[in-house]
Amino acid sequence: MKVLQSPDGGLKSSVVLRVVITTVLLGSGAVIYYGRGARKEAFYLAVIVALIYFLSLVSLLLQSLFQRHPRIFKISQLVFDLALASTVIFVTGGKSSPFIFLYVLIIIYSSIVLTKVASYVTALVSGLVYVLIVFYQIRIEVPLEPGQSIWSSVSLWGEIGLVSTYFHLTGFLLVAILSGYLSERFRAAGRELGESERSLRILQNLHENIIQSLTSGVITLNLDGRIISANKAGLDILGINGEDKILGKDLSQFMTGLHLDDLVSKKREQMLYTSPDGRMVTLGFSSSELRDTEEKAQGYIIIFQDLTEVKELEDRLRTSEKMALLGQLAAGLAHELRNPLSAISGAVEILSSDVKPTEENLRLVRMASQEVERLNLLVEDFLILTMPIQKLTTLVDLGRIIADTVESFAKTIRRGNIEIVNQVEKGIYVQADSYRLKQAVWNLLLNSVDAMPIGGLIIIKSKTGENSVVIEISDEGKGIDENFISRIFEPFFTTKEVGTGLGLAIVQKVIEGYNGNINVVSSRGNGATFVITLPRFKEVPADVIH
């Protein structure tokens, strides 16, 4: 019971304990006395039991009051118990009462709920009351003759009675000493246990906080490879909501292809993991055995990280290195091609003035010039694609650039069934090269026009955010087959009968070169929308380039 588990046990528990003891001891005593014909004693015990029940009920009703003053309640309870115990002993025979041991219980109880000193005081009071009861009974049983003192009655009572009383009093004192000592030790042990529990709780919280604060995922397994714990970072990386969804499961059940034996033997491993929401994540694992303080293996601990971004950066770095190498090759090749192209262009121009200006000769000269120009543009596109984009610190008005590009592009369209609506506001500033941005917008417009052989509408819209701007260029063309969407930004990939396949690749190169990104939303027969996102600058310096 709670009162025995703690020296400051609850009031309710102590009341319940008192009712139980009263019922067992005094109730059975009343029955025994009644059965032996001692109806008066049985009646007194029954009255005392009823009185204890009543006072216990009052204590429970006033529990809230007593809880505010627990020490006063305990002292009052001890006084009450001593009075009732003395009454019980008195009505059941005094020095020969079988309930003298009630004093012992009260002494022990006082040492538990109060202090060692309280048990000494309780033993002293118990002894005094008991002696008074004994003397009173001696006085009744052995009336004094005129001129006799109380000590004469005591001597008549007999040596055996004195010895019995002496042992009772000595027993009270020894019980007080022993129970006081044990209760003090019990309280000290309780305090030490409380300190140990607090220290353990602090260490557990510290350990839990460290594990949960790690940015790496941590999973522990038992010797059978079943998961026994996982930290928050691990659940986030795996895309699992709630630790209960993986506890007790085999590691390979939700990480297909990852085998514990291989992981433990290799110590380090990488795998491509598919999260429940379909996200592909590259995971890097390291593992070790989980051992207890006696160096006995208890399971395994697996630490893993999300390496998706690292892998993407590595892929980009490899691609950049390839493009840089290709750029050097392209620069040399372009230099070698431009010189003969310039020579051819000059020769054609000279020959055009010498040949007879017939319709056929003019067509051939015009064809030669157009082919030279096309080759020059092809070399220029190839250089843009392979050479790195220079980082600039100047700001340009994206709205103005788009407006100028749309105006120039519209003049080159020789078809009257194409309409371009530009809804982009001016005054949207980005950090980029205006020429490259014009070229990117031009390529997208050209792509849209090529996708609408029977004409249609091109709409350019913008949406500004806190730190970015989104440009959408939509057309009503034939759209892009879903199987080709993932490849349309690849160099030299084209679905057109005529084209180099470099236009969209250059657009992506330019946009990403200025820390932006480009995506496309399209399906066959439903047109296409190219979505460009670029960092936006709200504070515009005075030297901005318009």
Side-chain angles (χ1 to χ4, degrees):
M1 296 182 70
K2 189 175 181 179
V3 69
L4 298 178
Q5 293 171 347
S6 169
D8 299 324
L11 301 179
K12 186 176 180 180
S13 300
S14 65
V15 171
V16 173
L17 178 62
R18 178 168 290 93
V19 170
V20 172
I21 293 176
T22 299
T23 303
V24 173
L25 296 180
L26 301 187
S28 59
V31 173
I32 293 173
Y33 275 105
Y34 184 81
R36 296 177 61 182
R39 297 187 176 182
K40 185 176 68 176
E41 288 78 1
F43 173 74
Y44 288 150
L45 288 178
V47 171
I48 292 172
V49 170
L51 181 61
I52 292 175
Y53 283 177
F54 174 73
L55 294 178
S56 298
L57 179 61
V58 172
S59 299
L60 291 176
L61 294 176
L62 300 177
Q63 183 179 356
S64 58
L65 175 63
F66 289 137
Q67 281 180 336
R68 292 198 294 270
H69 308 285
R71 192 171 185 82
I72 295 176
F73 170 74
K74 292 171 184 174
I75 294 175
S76 303
Q77 201 172 43
L78 282 174
V79 173
F80 170 72
D81 289 345
L82 280 173
L84 286 180
S86 300
T87 304
V88 170
I89 292 170
F90 179 75
V91 299
T92 56
K95 60 183 182 299
S96 60
S97 172
F99 292 102
I100 296 175
F101 70 91
L102 290 177
Y103 284 134
V104 175
L105 295 180
I106 296 172
I107 293 169
I108 295 173
Y109 181 75
S110 66
S111 66
I112 293 175
V113 300
L114 292 172
T115 62
K116 180 171 63 178
V117 175
S119 66
Y120 296 160
V121 174
T122 304
L124 178 61
V125 173
S126 300
L128 289 175
V129 173
Y130 178 70
V131 169
L132 290 176
I133 292 173
V134 170
F135 279 1
Y136 177 79
Q137 286 187 323
I138 292 174
R139 179 68 181 277
I140 298 299
E141 293 174 359
V142 185
L144 294 176
E145 298 293 336
Q148 288 184 328
S149 65
I150 185 65
W151 299 112
S152 300
S153 298
V154 171
S155 60
L156 291 174
W157 179 43
E159 185 179 350
I160 296 177
L162 287 174
V163 171
S164 175
T165 302
Y166 168 75
F167 277 114
H168 278 119
L169 297 178
T170 305
F172 294 164
L173 179 60
L174 292 177
V175 168
I177 294 173
L178 181 60
S179 62
Y181 172 76
L182 292 177
S183 63
E184 288 297 321
R185 292 295 302 268
F186 176 71
R187 272 186 279 270
R191 287 191 293 271
E192 293 176 358
L193 180 60
E195 289 293 331
S196 299
E197 288 179 347
R198 280 191 290 273
S199 300
L200 180 60
R201 195 158 47 247
I202 292 172
L203 288 175
Q204 287 178 334
N205 291 337
L206 178 62
H207 173 265
E208 188 71 16
N209 290 335
I210 291 174
I211 295 296
Q212 295 299 333
S213 299
L214 288 175
T215 57
S216 299
V218 179
I219 287 179
T220 54
L221 311 171
N222 60 17
L223 292 174
D224 296 329
R226 295 190 176 278
I227 298 172
I228 56 179
S229 72
N231 70 339
K232 183 178 181 301
L235 297 176
D236 292 341
I237 293 173
L238 298 177
I240 296 174
N241 298 322
E243 189 180 27
D244 56 321
K245 295 184 179 178
I246 61 172
L247 292 183
K249 293 185 178 179
D250 193 286
L251 182 65
S252 58
Q253 283 185 357
F254 65 95
M255 289 188 179
T256 307
L258 183 64
H259 301 288
L260 182 61
D261 294 339
D262 295 340
L263 186 60
V264 172
S265 61
K266 295 178 181 177
K267 303 294 183 184
R268 292 185 179 276
E269 184 68 88
Q270 281 191 16
M271 67 167 290
L272 193 60
Y273 166 76
T274 304
S275 64
D277 58 1
R279 183 168 48 95
M280 302 297 291
V281 183
T282 301
L283 299 179
F285 291 89
S286 62
S287 65
S288 61
E289 285 188 334
L290 187 64
R291 296 180 178 275
D292 59 14
T293 55
E294 298 178 354
E295 291 298 319
K296 185 178 179 181
Q298 297 293 322
Y300 306 95
I301 181 169
I302 297 176
I303 301 175
F304 56 97
Q305 296 86 28
D306 183 356
L307 302 180
T308 305
E309 291 187 5
V310 176
K311 292 290 292 181
E312 289 178 355
L313 289 175
E314 289 178 352
D315 293 341
R316 289 180 185 177
L317 180 60
R318 281 194 290 270
T319 302
S320 298
E321 291 175 349
K322 291 180 181 177
M323 296 304 289
L325 182 62
L326 188 60
Q328 294 177 359
L329 177 63
L333 185 61
H335 178 73
E336 295 299 326
L337 287 175
R338 275 177 170 171
N339 288 338
L341 285 174
S342 297
I344 294 173
S345 178
V348 170
E349 186 175 355
I350 294 173
L351 290 175
S352 63
S353 60
D354 294 338
V355 298
K356 187 176 180 180
T358 63
E359 182 177 351
E360 180 63 17
N361 289 339
L362 292 176
R363 187 183 68 81
L364 293 175
V365 170
R366 186 168 58 252
M367 182 184 300
S369 299
Q370 290 175 346
E371 289 302 314
V372 170
E373 181 64 22
R374 192 178 67 82
L375 287 174
N376 272 321
L377 292 176
L378 180 61
V379 172
E380 182 68 20
D381 288 347
F382 196 59
L383 280 175
I384 295 173
L385 186 64
T386 54
M387 297 298 287
I389 298 294
Q390 290 184 341
K391 301 294 182 183
L392 301 175
T393 58
T394 54
L395 298 182
V396 295
D397 187 342
L398 181 61
R400 183 179 292 276
I401 289 174
I402 292 177
D404 293 345
T405 305
V406 170
E407 182 179 357
S408 301
F409 184 83
K411 294 178 181 177
T412 65
I413 302 176
R414 298 177 182 176
R415 295 156 48 190
N417 55 0
I418 299 293
E419 182 183 0
I420 303 176
V421 177
N422 178 22
Q423 300 176 348
V424 180
E425 299 177 357
K426 296 179 181 177
I428 302 173
Y429 296 94
V430 298
Q431 198 171 57
D433 179 85
S434 58
Y435 173 75
R436 296 301 181 200
L437 284 182
K438 286 180 181 178
Q439 188 175 27
V441 175
W442 187 285
N443 286 357
L444 290 175
L445 292 174
L446 184 61
N447 190 75
S448 295
V449 170
D450 291 342
M452 297 188 296
I454 60 174
L457 176 65
I458 300 174
I459 300 178
I460 309 174
K461 297 186 293 186
S462 65
K463 184 168 59 180
T464 55
E466 184 67 19
N467 299 308
S468 63
V469 56
V470 177
I471 303 295
E472 295 182 359
I473 301 178
S474 305
D475 63 55
E476 299 176 337
K478 54 188 177 183
I480 305 171
D481 192 296
E482 295 179 356
N483 296 324
F484 298 149
I485 286 183
S486 61
R487 300 188 57 193
I488 61 171
F489 293 112
E490 291 182 6
F492 304 111
F493 176 80
T494 181
T495 59
K496 302 175 186 176
E497 295 180 357
V498 178
T500 61
L502 294 178
L504 293 180
I506 290 174
V507 173
Q508 185 186 45
K509 177 73 179 294
V510 171
I511 298 302
E512 291 184 352
Y514 297 125
N515 300 321
N517 61 72
I518 180 171
N519 294 294
V520 62
V521 179
S522 179
S523 62
R524 178 179 290 275
N526 295 315
T529 298
F530 287 87
V531 182
I532 297 173
T533 303
L534 284 169
R536 175 193 174 207
F537 291 79
K538 291 185 291 186
E539 296 182 1
V540 183
D543 59 345
V544 64
I545 298 175
H546 296 288

